[in-house]
Amino acid sequence: MRQTTSSEMTAGAVLLGRLKTVGVDYIFANSGTDFPPIIEGLAEAMAKDVPLPQAVVIPHENAAMGMAHGYFLATGRSQCVMAHTNVGLANCAIGAINAATEHVPVLLMSGRTPVLESGRLGARTVPIGWGQEMRDQAALVREATKWDYELKFAEQAAEVVDRAHAVANSTPKGPVYVSLPREVLCGTCAAPDPDAGGSSIAPAHTAPHPQAVAEAAALLAKAESPLIIVQRGAGTTEAFGALADLAERWGIAVSQYWAIQLGIATDHPMAAGSDPGPLLAEADVIVVIDCLAPWSPEIHALKPGAKVIHLGPDPLYARFPVRNFRVDLALTGETGDAILALAAALDAHALPDRAPERRERIAAANAATRDNVRAAALAGRDGLMTKAYVSHCLSEAIADHDATVLSELGCPLDPLELRTPGSWFQEPHSGGLGWAFPAGLGIQLANRDRLIVATMGDGSYMFANPVACHQIAEALGLPLLVLVLNNREWGAVRQSVLGVYPDGYAAKANTMPLTSLEPTPDFTKVAEASRAWTARVDEGDALPGVLTEAIRQVRENKRQALVEIRIRP
């Protein structure tokens, strides 16, 4: 291979440097035999003082995708994942599905098996060169990505990164995929101009139409029993505060149904908890803020004549073939911008005389609901604990800490007292399990001073490839706290069966088929293999003390920790 001149670089080096130019901080990579031009490109760029993202080895692609997901949640900046040909890309597919469902931009890339069988740089030299070839490698993730492309020429390297980044970060955001043939990356092209500035393509952002915003504000101002349902947070810190102020000033209940992110403090006077059912039955105007499924048509009914306003980056969720929730008015735009626009439009309307009474009534009802939730949680202490009790204890343990809680079939939201944006993340509604652990690592990587707690069911923990995740935590010095709520079964599957066949044979069986995870592993041993601090709790009375010590280990000793908690089936 000829050496590059000072005025040119390999396409691999140019591509990697361009990732830094567009704002990528990390490349989460699991390398393979297609990586020689990537590894050489990193070395070349460093030798030539080209700024680069930090490339880190992530020994499982599901963890790489989860970390990119979590890092975006913490920073708002999209990151890059690099995988090995088709097999690495296949492991990325679940993460791509999760990212697509939650509008998380990820720059996903993987190599291609060499094209030629002999006679040229990059030719196939081992049997996997034949075994990993596909007719359409991008098809593995195409349905879960906004855009995909295969790099054709070395001189495209920079502009393809620019386009990938712009498309991923345009409204609605989402993952993109670029295939990187080894031969193309080994080619050379002009070295980047250090004075050229940033990306040549800016992301495209949309804003709701002013007339539609005014119409939504008029409907809300005239409503007798308005309701807000928020599922994916408020979008920005400013909008989080604006939504809280709007709800309190106008006396509007806010339900966080299957909340992926926190949209309002859980102890806010207008925070009505996670069950929208009774409120939906009375609401005459409903504002749905970025909700894939704002209620369940099977169990929830709207009041006849109710008007429904949807707002968010894709209020109709066009990626999903069937989604037929009522929509009288749709406001398209980034969630935070749409909330701020609606709040400003409401300021043009006089507060109705009924607002103070409505505010007091809703606040009293919500306070009673929170008291009931607390009582029910405390009742789950004796014997095998309930998830609600674990959540209550966790809430008290983190009360004096700047904390983020992730839950993947782990701690429920209602018993927690959380007050800030970025303090709550639930598993994506696509259900690609094994998400919370690596997403927590990504959030911890972005904010090393914050207490990050990933709570998972036992099945979700196993899906997370925990050996890989604990190794990453130790290698990168990420002191994450992991709670494994172990009920020794697929609890969600059991509940689904009971929902369809409440009096069926499976419900009456001593052991429901295809749900048991017995015999349960000792999950503490998995974590101890990477020098984590661990504990196992079987009795409710012991849990608060164990959580306190686990947090001390994480905060003072900067050590990852895992607590396995035995809970009721």
Side-chain angles (χ1 to χ4, degrees), residues 39-59:
I39 294 171
E40 177 66 14
L42 286 168
E44 178 188 2
M46 286 188 285
K48 295 181 177 180
D49 295 323
V50 175
L52 290 169
Q54 183 173 343
V56 292
V57 175
I58 305 299

Side-chain angles (χ1 to χ4, degrees), residues 305-386:
K307 299 293 185 182
V308 184
I309 303 161
H310 290 242
L311 68 84
D314 183 13
L316 299 184
Y317 279 85
R319 278 193 62 250
F320 301 89
V322 176
R323 182 186 180 275
N324 296 312
F325 297 95
R326 182 179 181 88
V327 180
D328 294 285
L329 187 62
L331 309 181
T332 301
E334 291 297 325
T335 302
D337 295 341
I339 290 172
L340 293 174
L342 181 59
L346 270 172
D347 287 341
H349 294 268
L351 200 66
D353 293 338
R354 59 184 172 274
E357 180 277 329
R358 190 168 65 199
R359 184 189 310 119
E360 292 180 10
R361 173 170 44 83
I362 292 171
N366 291 342
T369 297
R370 284 190 290 275
D371 287 343
N372 291 337
V373 166
R374 176 182 171 84
L378 290 173
R381 177 183 57 194
D382 298 329
L384 285 175
M385 290 166 274
T386 63

Side-chain angles (χ1 to χ4, degrees), residues 135-452:
R135 295 179 179 88
D136 186 5
Q137 182 168 294
L140 286 168
V141 293
R142 180 166 293 132
E143 190 167 343
T145 53
K146 293 180 64 179
W147 172 88
D148 67 82
Y149 187 72
E150 180 169 304
L151 191 67
K152 301 293 196 302
F153 298 98
E155 54 265 37
Q156 288 183 294
E159 61 188 34
V160 166
V161 170
D162 285 4
R163 179 155 178 78
H165 181 267
V167 172
N169 287 279
S170 294
T171 306
K173 296 180 176 70
V176 296
Y177 170 66
V178 182
S179 174
L180 303 173
R182 193 163 83 172
E183 299 86 347
V184 178
L185 289 183
C186 288
T188 60
C189 56
D193 180 356
D195 300 320
S199 173
S200 63
I201 308 175
H205 298 297
T206 59
H209 194 283
Q211 183 176 341
V213 174
E215 186 177 345
L219 283 171
L220 201 55
K222 295 175 183 176
E224 293 288 338
S225 298
L227 170 64
I228 296 172
I229 301 176
V230 59
Q231 201 161 72
R232 284 170 169 76
T236 65
T237 299
E238 184 182 4
F240 186 91
L243 180 60
D245 292 343
L246 180 158
E248 186 159 16
R249 180 167 180 261
W250 288 82
I252 304 175
V254 180
S255 175
Q256 303 194 86
Y257 179 64
W258 282 83
I260 294 293
Q261 298 186 40
L262 198 68
I264 192 169
T266 57
D267 60 354
H268 187 282
M270 297 298 104
S274 60
D275 181 10
L279 299 166
L280 281 169
E282 299 297 328
D284 56 347
V285 176
I286 304 161
V287 179
V288 173
I289 299 179
D290 199 11
C291 298
L292 173 61
W295 59 80
S296 172
E298 179 70 16
I299 60 176
H300 299 138
L302 304 188
K303 182 179 181 179
K307 299 293 185 182
V308 184
I309 303 161
H310 290 242
L311 68 84
D314 183 13
L316 299 184
Y317 279 85
R319 278 193 62 250
F320 301 89
V322 176
R323 182 186 180 275
N324 296 312
F325 297 95
R326 182 179 181 88
V327 180
D328 294 285
L329 187 62
L331 309 181
T332 301
E334 291 297 325
T335 302
D337 295 341
I339 290 172
L340 293 174
L342 181 59
L346 270 172
D347 287 341
H349 294 268
L351 200 66
D353 293 338
R354 59 184 172 274
E357 180 277 329
R358 190 168 65 199
R359 184 189 310 119
E360 292 180 10
R361 173 170 44 83
I362 292 171
N366 291 342
T369 297
R370 284 190 290 275
D371 287 343
N372 291 337
V373 166
R374 176 182 171 84
L378 290 173
R381 177 183 57 194
D382 298 329
L384 285 175
M385 290 166 274
T386 63
K387 285 186 177 183
Y389 176 72
V390 176
S391 193
H392 166 77
C393 291
L394 176 61
S395 184
E396 295 200 331
I398 65 174
D400 296 327
H401 297 276
D402 186 22
T404 291
V405 177
L406 297 95
S407 179
E408 184 176 11
L409 302 172
C411 288
L413 176 60
D414 283 344
L416 289 163
E417 289 189 3
L418 300 173
R419 301 180 178 90
T420 58
S423 60
W424 168 262
F425 298 105
Q426 187 173 296
E427 79 275 0
H429 285 167
S430 44
L433 298 183
W435 168 87
F437 196 165
L441 291 172
I443 296 172
Q444 188 79 81
L445 183 64
N447 191 340
R448 291 179 176 269
D449 294 329
R450 191 175 180 90
L451 173 62
I452 311 299

